[in-house]
Amino acid sequence: MQDVPTKKNSLLFNIVTNLTFWVLIAIVSGILLGNYKPDTAVQMKVVGDSFISLVKLFIGPIIFLTIVLGISGMGDLKKVGRIGIKALLYFEVVTTFALAIGILAAYIIQPGKIDKSGLDIQDASQYTTNPKTDFDWWHFFLDNFTLQVLLAAIICGIALNYYSKREIIVGYLYKCSKVVFRVLKIVMYLAPLGAFGGMAYTIGKFGLQTLIPLGKLMVTVYITMALFIFVVLGSILRYYKIRILDFLKFMKAELLIVLGTSSSEPALPSLMEKLERMGCSKSVVGLVVPTGYSFNLDGTSIYLSMCIIFLAQLYDVHLSFGEILTIIGLLMITSKGAAGVTGSGFIVLASTLTAIHKIPVEGLAFLLGVDKFMSEARAITNFIGNGVATIVISKNENEFLQVENPMKLD
């Protein structure tokens, strides 16, 4: 007779001690505070920003250590090059497909065809290029810490393969990696605070009623990204006999963290750990995931292409087929590394608008009100896309280990 209450107590204990449970509670609490006490909620911005800033301190060391260990652990530089080329080709194909889907969805749903009463819409024919928005690759690289760390890690990883005492340094770096991940695991217990602060500020600052004029764009972005995840990424996983719903369920805790913080970076370490638990080899995970965080931004690609078409519709600007191809080509290049710079989405949009010289750059101001709400969709799509990419490369390289899989495979 004692078994039933014992099981109930055990279930309750597992729920209460589960980080996912507290992140979910924090998100709901943030929404309620933002709705009923907006002034107080806005002040919670510092809580969410502080958590993200704290986690970002670990991103550089984690990317550097995992890539160096991944390259040096392979030993065979030809293998490193082969995996790197495969990953970059996959990134380029999928992100280009995402750009095209964003443009197609924007033309079908036409989110920019809205009631413009009350909006300060200037005549696009009077638009002149603002030279301050010209894109500077050199400064973009200097401001992009993620790309700098990636380059340094690749060089160090290759150099280690030619060093006679490589094992000593690799052993030291491996110990450093374990310490970094152990400390980060402790920091992640603060994730509910970060999720609460981010969600409370968002609702308190903007409020759902202010999103009505641009609500159609926001809904369009979410629908398009959901279709991309379940149809495109789902089909890719299905080819490798993995169901997308099983993958999402396996990553539910990380997805909630991404949702609450509006950033995929806090979930990077957990993503790498779980991909290894699935069966992806440590060397492939260490090389593909950090690189994907700069070069495989599916959600960002959809968002950028859709926003340009939205602004064109908002200003009643007709874009020829050649101009649309130009937009895709520009975004294929400028969107790479966009996650490494705060506000870089607007830098990329501004540079693209300047290049095509038909849509006022000032139109970006209309996106400020809803950008925060769409950042969750971008971050989640980017996160899932990088997980899928790692599985694809692991399977393709026969580096998907036969371990007891926590997910349900066909």
Side-chain angles (χ1 to χ4, degrees), residues 335-393:
S335 63
K336 301 300 181 286
V341 181
T342 302
S344 59
F346 284 92
I347 295 175
V348 173
L349 283 173
S351 64
T352 306
L353 294 177
T354 301
I356 60 177
H357 191 59
K358 290 192 72 172
I359 306 169
V361 175
E362 290 77 8
L364 295 178
F366 292 108
L367 301 175
L368 290 174
V370 292
D371 180 74
K372 173 63 180 174
F373 284 93
M374 291 187 288
S375 62
E376 287 88 354
R378 293 198 303 267
I380 288 176
T381 307
N382 290 339
F383 175 83
I384 297 171
N386 281 313
V388 172
T390 307
I391 293 173
V392 169
I393 303 301

Side-chain angles (χ1 to χ4, degrees), residues 85-276:
I85 291 174
K86 283 183 179 180
L88 290 176
L89 285 174
Y90 174 88
F91 295 161
E92 197 61 55
V93 170
V94 176
T95 53
T96 301
F97 196 63
L99 288 171
I101 287 177
I103 290 177
L104 181 62
Y107 270 110
I108 292 175
I109 303 177
Q110 297 189 330
K113 298 294 183 180
I114 59 177
D115 181 9
K116 302 178 180 65
S117 59
L119 295 179
D120 183 17
I121 302 293
Q122 66 187 81
D123 184 0
S125 63
Q126 304 299 317
Y127 170 62
T128 57
T129 302
N130 182 356
K132 293 183 179 180
T133 60
D134 289 344
F135 190 81
D136 189 329
W137 274 105
W138 176 243
H139 284 93
F140 185 67
F141 177 77
L142 290 180
D143 293 335
N144 196 315
F145 179 68
T146 303
L147 289 180
Q148 295 170 18
V149 173
L150 277 170
L151 181 60
I154 292 172
I155 294 174
C156 290
I158 293 174
L160 267 180
N161 281 277
Y162 293 100
Y163 186 55
S164 58
K165 298 181 179 179
R166 177 173 65 94
E167 291 77 10
I168 298 176
I169 296 181
V170 169
Y172 174 74
L173 291 177
Y174 180 72
K175 291 179 181 178
C176 290
S177 178
K178 290 183 68 176
V179 172
V180 170
F181 275 96
R182 190 177 298 120
V183 175
L184 184 58
K185 184 177 181 180
I186 297 174
V187 171
M188 289 308 296
Y189 286 116
L190 299 176
L193 291 177
F196 170 78
M199 192 60 67
Y201 169 76
T202 299
I203 302 300
K205 175 68 174 178
F206 301 108
L208 297 178
Q209 70 278 5
T210 64
L211 303 178
I212 295 175
L214 298 174
K216 193 174 179 180
L217 172 64
M218 189 172 67
V219 171
T220 303
V221 167
Y222 271 86
I223 291 176
T224 305
M225 292 193 186
L227 289 173
F228 181 82
I229 290 171
F230 288 102
V231 177
V232 178
L233 297 182
S235 297
I236 293 174
L237 281 183
R238 191 71 183 180
Y239 178 79
Y240 292 101
K241 301 187 183 303
I242 297 176
R243 291 189 292 265
I244 185 67
L245 289 177
D246 290 332
F247 178 77
L248 297 180
K249 183 179 179 181
F250 186 57
M251 295 288 179
K252 61 181 182 299
E254 289 71 27
L255 289 172
L256 283 173
I257 292 173
V258 173
L259 176 64
T261 60
S262 302
S263 172
S264 59
E265 290 182 337
L268 183 147
S270 298
L271 172 64
M272 297 174 69
E273 178 187 354
K274 284 197 170 181
L275 285 171
E276 289 180 26

